[in-house]
């Protein structure tokens, strides 16, 4: 069963070009991890500093392993320099069974 992870961030003092570069690096790192399926990035129509990333993983454990990886922690450190508030995470299991 697949899992979708919703990652919401609000950015300050950053252009969409800068944010895009960080998201591309994060996606590149994720693609190398076991269990990664896909991801997409969405920018709010009402607030261009609000970005939602939806990633899909084979298992919740695959996501947890990536979330705790050194490569991801380094990318998160870079995000922290331009974030407004905390990153919000929510995990969903696909399907109703």
């Amino acid at each position: 069963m697949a899992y979708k992870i919703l990652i919401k961030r609000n950015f300050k003092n950053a252009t969409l070009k800068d944010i895009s570069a960080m998201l591309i690096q994060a996606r590149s790192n994720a693609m190398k991890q076991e269990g990664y399926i896909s991801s997409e990035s969405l920018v709010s129509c009402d607030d261009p500093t609000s970005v939602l990333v939806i990633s899909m993983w084979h298992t919740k454990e695959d996501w947890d392993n990536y979330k705790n990886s050194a490569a991801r922690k380094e990318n998160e450190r870079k995000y922290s320099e331009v974030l407004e508030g905390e990153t919000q995470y929510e995990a969903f299991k696909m399907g109703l069974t």
Side-chain angles (χ1 to χ4, degrees):
M1 180 166 297
Y3 289 78
K4 287 200 176 189
I5 310 301
L6 279 61
I7 306 167
K8 185 173 183 187
R9 295 181 178 97
N10 289 308
F11 291 91
K12 63 177 181 182
N13 301 326
T15 66
L16 288 178
K17 181 180 176 183
D18 295 332
I19 294 167
S20 179
M22 287 188 281
L23 292 172
I24 289 169
Q25 182 60 55
R27 181 170 290 130
S28 176
N29 292 341
M31 291 172 71
K32 299 172 189 169
Q33 298 299 308
E34 182 176 338
Y36 174 83
I37 298 172
S38 67
S39 60
E40 60 183 322
S41 300
L42 308 169
V43 177
S44 171
C45 293
D46 298 321
D47 178 3
T49 67
S50 180
V51 176
L52 176 67
V53 173
I54 303 170
S55 63
M56 187 183 303
W57 297 82
H58 285 289
T59 68
K60 174 76 167 53
E61 292 76 22
D62 290 334
W63 158 250
D64 290 336
N65 289 336
Y66 172 61
K67 184 178 180 185
N68 295 316
S69 71
R72 186 168 188 288
K73 286 182 180 182
E74 173 59 21
N75 220 42
E76 287 300 304
R77 185 193 63 72
K78 292 176 185 174
Y79 282 131
S80 70
E81 297 171 5
V82 292
L83 279 179
E84 181 73 42
E86 296 291 318
T87 300
Q88 298 173 8
Y89 300 93
E90 197 166 359
F92 292 86
K93 179 172 51 171
M94 294 188 64
L96 299 176
T97 58

